[in-house]
Amino acid sequence: MPSPFRYTTPPPPKSATGRTADVYAQLTDDFGIDRPSTFVVLSSAPELLTATWALMRESLIAGEGDRTGKELAALGVSEANRCPFCVDAHTMLLHATGDHALANTVARGETPADAEHARLLAWGRSTRTPGAPELTPLPFPRAHAPAYIGTALSFHFINRIVSALLTENLLPGNVQRLRPVRSLVGRSVAKTVRRRPSPGASLALLDDPGPGPDWARGTTVGPAYAALRTAATTGAGLLDEADRILVRETLQGWDGAHPTLAWDGLPDRSRPGARLALLAALAPYRITDEDVTAWREPVHTDHCLVHLVAYGAFAAVDRIESALPVHTLNN
C-alpha cells in the first residue's frame, strides 16, 4: 500500500513508547480510529503530536456541545482551507453521529435543510476570514463557545499539517468518496463518536502549559490550546530574524484569501525556510518536492520539517484566533 506520508518517514506506531504511545492509546479509545495518519505524521515531534491531540480531544470530543454541530464546524473549516482529506473525514464522522441524511447532503455540496446546521457549517467556513459577517452572532450557546472555537482552531492547524505532509487519499483509491463506503466507515466508529468522554484526560500528557486564552478560561480547552501554541512556535528557531519578520508581517495583513498563483509576496527558493513557512500558513496544498528539497539540508531531520510546517500553520491559526469576535466572552 502506498505511504500516505509525503516528505517524512514517521517512526512505526508499534514502536511508540512514553507519551506517544499514550496518545495513540487515547486516540483509539476516544477517537475510535487506531493510529490515524493525521497524528502519526506528527510523531517525529512528540511535543506537537501530544498538544495537537490534546486540543482536538478537549474541544471536539470531550468539550461541551453537540458532536454533530462541532463536526459541521470542523467540516466548514476544512472546506474553507481546501483540505479534501479532512472534508472527507468529517463527512464520514457525520455518518458516525447517526445523521446520514445530513452527511449525504454536505457530501453533495448542498446546504443543510436545518437552519442551525446551516449556520454552524457557514460559521466554520467563515472563521478563515477576519470580520466575516457569519461569525456573529455565535451559532451556538455561549457556554459551548470554548469547545466550538477550540474545534475550529484545531482544524485550522490540522488541515495545514495534512495538506502539507500527507497525500489527499484518506482511503486507498479515494473510495471514501463513495456513499456506501462513507456510511460503512462512519458506522464502524459510531459507538465511540456518540459518547462524550470526560474532559481533561489529555492534559496529563502536557507539561504545565498554562491556562490559555480568555475565551477558554476555566476549561480544559485553554491549556490544550496553550500547549499547541508553545509547541508550534518553537519552529521559529529554524528561521533567521528576517524570515521571521516576513512571516509575521505577511500574516498580520492577511485577509483570509487563498493566494493567487502569482503570489508576489512569496519568496523564491533562495529563502526556502520562509517560503515553506508561508506556504504552510496560507496555501499548504501548494508545497512541492522542490520546495522541501531546497530547504532540507543534512541537518534538517523529519523533526525539523514537521516543526517548520507547524510554525507556519500556527502563524495562520494565531491570526485567525486574534480576529475572532470572542475575546470578551468571559468579561
Side-chain angles (χ1 to χ4, degrees):
M1 182 180 299
S3 171
F5 308 110
R6 295 179 68 196
Y7 303 119
T8 66
T9 305
K14 290 183 179 179
S15 70
T17 59
R19 293 186 189 182
T20 299
D22 292 338
V23 169
Y24 289 155
Q26 287 191 7
L27 276 162
T28 300
D29 292 343
D30 294 338
F31 194 41
I33 301 174
D34 189 35
R35 296 169 294 201
S37 58
T38 44
F39 288 92
V40 174
V41 74
L42 292 169
S43 63
S44 300
E47 62 280 12
L48 279 169
L49 167 67
T50 303
T52 304
W53 162 242
L55 182 56
M56 192 185 82
R57 183 194 186 276
E58 300 306 322
S59 57
L60 175 69
I61 298 172
E64 294 291 335
D66 176 62
R67 179 67 181 265
T68 297
K70 288 183 286 184
E71 289 293 345
L72 282 167
L75 176 62
V77 169
S78 302
E79 289 179 345
N81 290 327
R82 301 180 182 175
C83 182
F85 184 108
C86 293
V87 168
D88 290 342
H90 292 292
T91 303
M92 291 193 297
L93 288 167
L94 281 172
H95 277 289
T97 68
D99 200 330
H100 303 290
L102 175 61
N104 290 328
T105 295
V106 297
R108 293 191 298 267
E110 299 173 1
T111 300
D114 181 270
E116 181 179 349
H117 287 163
R119 286 184 62 216
L120 287 165
L121 182 62
W123 179 84
R125 289 175 181 148
S126 299
T127 55
R128 183 179 167 104
T129 306
E134 295 86 355
L135 294 176
T136 54
L138 295 175
F140 38 75
R142 186 184 180 112
H144 298 171
Y148 273 94
I149 295 165
T151 295
L153 295 174
S154 70
F155 283 98
H156 275 295
F157 183 77
I158 291 169
N159 289 167
R160 288 165 168 79
I161 296 297
V162 167
S163 293
L165 299 177
L166 296 180
T167 69
E168 290 186 0
N169 295 341
L170 178 60
L171 295 175
N174 271 331
V175 295
Q176 76 279 354
R177 304 282 168 81
L178 302 175
R179 185 170 66 177
V181 175
R182 292 196 304 268
S183 178
L184 180 63
V185 174
R187 291 173 194 273
S188 72
V189 295
K191 183 177 180 180
T192 302
V193 168
R194 294 178 196 180
R195 65 176 176 82
R196 185 162 73 92
S198 298
S202 68
L203 301 190
L205 307 177
L206 305 175
D207 292 322
D208 191 23
D214 285 347
W215 52 261
R217 187 187 307 163
T219 73
T220 57
V221 175
Y225 185 81
L228 183 56
R229 179 198 294 126
T230 298
T233 54
T234 60
L238 293 161
L239 302 178
D240 62 27
E241 182 62 18
D243 285 349
R244 289 194 292 270
I245 290 172
L246 176 62
V247 172
R248 183 167 60 249
E249 291 182 346
T250 301
L251 268 296
Q252 284 174 348
W254 179 50
D255 63 0
H258 288 268
T260 63
L261 289 177
W263 180 2
D264 292 336
L266 181 67
D268 63 26
R269 295 190 183 102
S270 67
R271 297 177 70 180
R275 181 181 177 90
L276 271 177
L278 283 172
L279 283 168
L282 304 185
Y285 45 83
R286 284 170 53 181
I287 291 175
T288 66
D289 296 356
E290 291 78 12
D291 294 324
V292 175
T293 299
W295 173 78
R296 196 154 191 179
E297 300 174 355
V299 295
H300 291 148
T301 63
D302 284 357
H303 179 274
C304 297
L305 179 59
V306 170
H307 263 289
L308 181 59
V309 170
Y311 167 69
F314 200 85
V317 172
D318 189 51
R319 165 66 173 138
I320 290 165
E321 188 268 349
S322 68
L324 287 175
V326 298
H327 289 274
T328 58
L329 284 177
N330 291 314
N331 293 340

